[in-house]
Amino acid sequence: MIGRRSFALLLTAALALPALAACGAGGASGATAASYPLRIGVIGTGNKLTGVIGYLNDEKRLLPLLAPAGVTEVKSFSFPNGPDLNQALLAGELDIALYGDTPALVARGAGQPTRLIAQNTVGIDAGVLAKKQGGPARLVDLAGKRVATQKGSYIHRYLLGALAEAGIKPQEIVHIYNSDVEAALERGDVDAAAVPAANMEALRLKGYPLINIASRDHPAYLGSSATVVPESFLGARPGFVKVWQGAQREGTRLAKRNWDRYLAFAAKVGGYPAEVTRATTLREQLPEEPFTPQGLRLLENTKRFLVEQKFIRSDFSIEEWIAPGARG
């Protein structure tokens, strides 16, 4: 089974958390106070909100939109990957998580009591690049090679799916954070690496050969986001879903209406050159509604793959995972 050990971190974190969640129930996520600071978990560095929610926050519009749900302050916390974020969420240290579909699905499949309230990005691309000298020229050349990716992410799932479709077994899939991939390729520590779209474009411009692209070669494995909250949080604040979804709609409208301004924000928080951000941040990836047919289809495809590969412990219904009232 390709990459079974690769998801061990995901499953270990997921299965260990019900007790932690109970211990954290006395925190803000289980409180009944009318007003509260909203603790948001994201993937990245610097405790920065990204996407349309981050754009709203940067424009000083997010808090007023969330105020009707009792939110008095927005606090963001960054995590290097999905499993770490899951652990904090279920330990009661966060109220809401904005991250990739794969770790969110694995956590829910392990029985963690979360609810899906939106997808704010759909059709996220990824790609595989090779080292410059003597690297693989095609995906099939990865057989017997060392390939890097950030494990537990949608990029990891794309890589596993692409390899499985081609019947390819690499020598090893190693866990390397996206920010460290270039150094690993340059040193020759790995033969190739799967990375998200912005990293893919930045490395391509530096001369690293691009040998596979999800959008071109494996569109079924495009990524999508997941916005999830603990069930205990919704139990205490049943009106939160509609307020959050309203803020997301407004953020999407604002971003598309002021696209250059949004791209400038995305470049600032992402840390990539403007040309990389412009090439990899696409209007069509920002859905007008919290749930769309494409987004749900990608989510279902991802879940099916994870179940078939036994990375999800117990299958579940996406419709039943979605929070009550979140579909309108």
Side-chain angles (χ1 to χ4, degrees), residues 266-318:
K268 178 180 68 174
V269 297
Y272 295 100
E275 64 269 24
V276 171
T277 301
R278 185 173 296 275
T280 58
T281 305
L282 309 178
R283 288 174 181 265
E284 56 266 30
Q285 293 175 337
L286 305 182
E288 300 288 342
E289 293 296 327
F291 296 103
T292 63
Q294 182 195 10
L296 291 172
R297 183 169 60 253
L298 287 173
L299 198 62
E300 186 63 44
N301 287 345
T302 299
K303 180 178 72 73
R304 185 181 304 113
F305 173 80
L306 294 172
V307 169
E308 289 172 352
Q309 298 297 315
K310 303 188 186 306
F311 298 138
I312 283 183
R313 179 180 178 181
S314 180
D315 198 2
F316 60 93
S317 164
I318 296 293

Side-chain angles (χ1 to χ4, degrees), residues 49-171:
L49 292 175
T50 59
V52 299
I53 295 298
Y55 181 53
L56 278 177
N57 195 49
D58 195 64
E59 294 286 314
K60 311 300 182 187
R61 300 192 186 200
L62 180 60
L63 187 57
L65 290 169
L66 298 180
V71 177
T72 57
E73 182 181 2
V74 173
K75 298 181 178 181
S76 57
F77 302 90
S78 298
F79 297 85
N81 55 28
D84 288 340
L85 192 156
N86 278 336
Q87 190 167 8
L89 182 70
L90 273 298
E93 298 168 359
L94 299 170
D95 303 309
I96 186 169
L98 285 66
Y99 56 163
D101 51 17
T102 296
L105 286 163
V106 171
R108 179 65 180 186
Q112 294 186 2
T114 61
R115 287 286 191 169
L116 180 67
I117 65 171
Q119 291 179 280
N120 62 42
T121 314
V122 171
I124 312 170
D125 213 350
V128 179
L129 298 109
K131 61 184 182 180
K132 293 179 181 179
Q133 302 298 325
R138 303 168 301 166
L139 190 71
V140 295
D141 298 331
L142 296 181
K145 305 296 185 181
R146 299 184 82 237
V147 186
T149 195
Q150 185 165 307
K151 292 183 178 179
S153 65
Y154 84 91
I155 311 102
H156 186 196
R157 185 260 307 160
Y158 146 67
L159 175 64
L160 294 179
L163 293 173
E165 280 188 11
I168 301 165
K169 186 174 182 179
Q171 174 190 339

